[in-house]
Amino acid sequence: MGSGSAGNATLIEASSGLQKTYVLIDCGIRPRDLDQRLALAGLEATQIQAIFITHEHSDHIGHAKSLAKKTNAAVWMSHGTWMASSALQWGLPPEQCNMARDHETIAIGDLCITPFTVPHDAREPLQLTCTDGDARLGILTDLGHASSHVIESLKNCNALLLEANHDEEMLSQSQYPYFLKQRIAGPLGHLSNTASAQLLAKLDHEKLNLVVAAHLSEKNNSKDKALESWSQHISLDTKLVGVADALKGCEWYCVVL
Ligand SMILES: [Zn+2]
Ligand SMILES: [Zn+2]
């Protein structure tokens, strides 16, 4: 529903028979915009059962409080994120607040979410995989480098929403101040197109049949550059590949085995 520094939000649907489960990963976009984008999918915010916040940066948590109050959805985040964001003072009832931990699986309706820690400059950032028992989706939008823990945690994914933040050349030539360039390109910053492609190359491609580039910098990247970089490491013609738009997100994708 939105991807990048302007605000992140990813909606996951799992369905079994008549019952559907909706979980929102991050809520960095304004309630009005979220409502509009949900309406395009024929949904409304009250259908969201849980909000999983990956870390305290405002492009991920910025509008989570108002959504949690409006929907009464369960809120999940790491202890570090609760503390760093002061979210414990949002005034939510204790039963709505839940602590997520590395590799402790969370069951929400028909979805099981397994968070894992990532190297990023936040207090205790988590990214995740989730499954309905059959297909597995990985979400990895903010990380500085692909640690062995990250690679291990993404095993057996059928689909992946993966950060391709910047083109290294564009970032180094940009008007950004030196410290910011260092932060973004550093080991606790964001994945360059090349680093993202190298991470992809390390994963099991037998099962991976959908990859969507996410969290692209609007100033230091382009969709073409991200895909060009990926195409050097995976065979794009045999995969379904998409790019999430900063403001519109991406279309619905069905994660299949
Ligand atoms: Zn971040
Ligand atoms: Zn971010």
Side-chain angles (χ1 to χ4, degrees):
M1 308 232 148
S3 183
S5 54
N8 296 271
T10 304
L11 187 68
I12 305 172
E13 175 192 277
S15 57
S16 63
L18 292 175
Q19 189 187 325
K20 293 200 169 176
T21 302
Y22 293 98
V23 175
L24 190 71
I25 310 301
D26 290 325
C27 187
I29 57 180
R30 292 182 302 173
R32 197 176 29 152
D33 295 333
L34 182 68
D35 283 343
Q36 276 177 357
R37 293 170 207 177
L38 284 167
L40 288 174
L43 298 168
E44 49 190 60
T46 49
Q47 289 174 267
I48 295 168
Q49 281 142 274
I51 307 162
F52 185 100
I53 303 297
T54 58
H55 62 297
E56 70 271 22
H57 292 161
S58 61
D59 55 324
H60 298 265
I61 201 171
H63 297 282
K65 176 181 173 181
S66 57
L67 185 68
K69 293 206 164 200
K70 175 171 154 185
T71 61
N72 297 321
V75 180
W76 289 85
M77 60 182 99
S78 70
H79 180 260
T81 305
W82 280 110
M83 301 311 286
S85 64
S86 303
L88 286 170
Q89 274 108 56
W90 284 357
L92 301 177
E95 60 273 18
Q96 202 179 346
C97 305
N98 300 277
M99 217 60 84
R101 295 178 186 84
D102 181 67
H103 276 255
E104 277 189 18
T105 296
I106 301 160
I108 301 164
D110 288 323
L111 271 176
C112 280
I113 293 178
T114 305
F116 55 92
T117 50
V118 294
H120 188 54
D121 54 0
R123 185 127 160 216
E124 189 187 349
L126 297 170
Q127 298 284 319
L128 58 103
T129 61
C130 62
T131 179
D132 61 354
D134 293 321
R136 180 173 294 276
L137 164 70
I139 294 189
L140 195 57
T141 61
D142 291 59
L143 78 166
H145 67 277
S147 63
S148 52
H149 186 58
V150 166
I151 299 293
E152 184 68 21
S153 301
L154 290 175
K155 262 188 178 169
N156 300 323
C157 277
N158 302 108
L160 190 56
L161 183 69
L162 175 64
E163 169 162 60
N165 180 259
H166 58 275
D167 172 79
E168 284 156 322
E169 185 68 23
M170 285 175 79
L171 178 64
S172 75
Q173 301 296 322
S174 77
Q175 300 294 316
Y176 280 16
Y178 177 74
F179 80 89
L180 186 54
K181 290 183 187 179
Q182 292 293 103
R183 191 228 135 204
I184 292 169
L188 298 179
H190 290 279
L191 285 189
S192 69
N193 292 339
T194 308
S196 173
Q198 286 167 345
L199 186 159
L200 265 182
K202 287 182 185 164
L203 300 179
D204 172 11
H205 286 196
E206 283 292 307
K207 294 187 172 165
L208 190 63
N209 48 43
L210 166 66
V211 277
V212 177
H215 215 296
L216 271 70
S217 166
E218 291 179 82
K219 296 219 168 77
N220 301 317
N221 208 357
S222 70
K223 292 178 181 178
D224 287 346
K225 280 192 182 292
L227 291 180
E228 184 190 317
S229 187
W230 278 12
S231 69
Q232 291 165 9
H233 292 81
I234 57 170
S235 100
L236 293 180
D237 52 331
T238 60
K239 309 281 178 189
L240 183 53
V241 176
V243 183
D245 182 80
L247 298 179
K248 295 189 205 132
C250 56
E251 61 191 277
W252 276 109
Y253 287 109
C254 186
V255 180
V256 292
L257 295 177

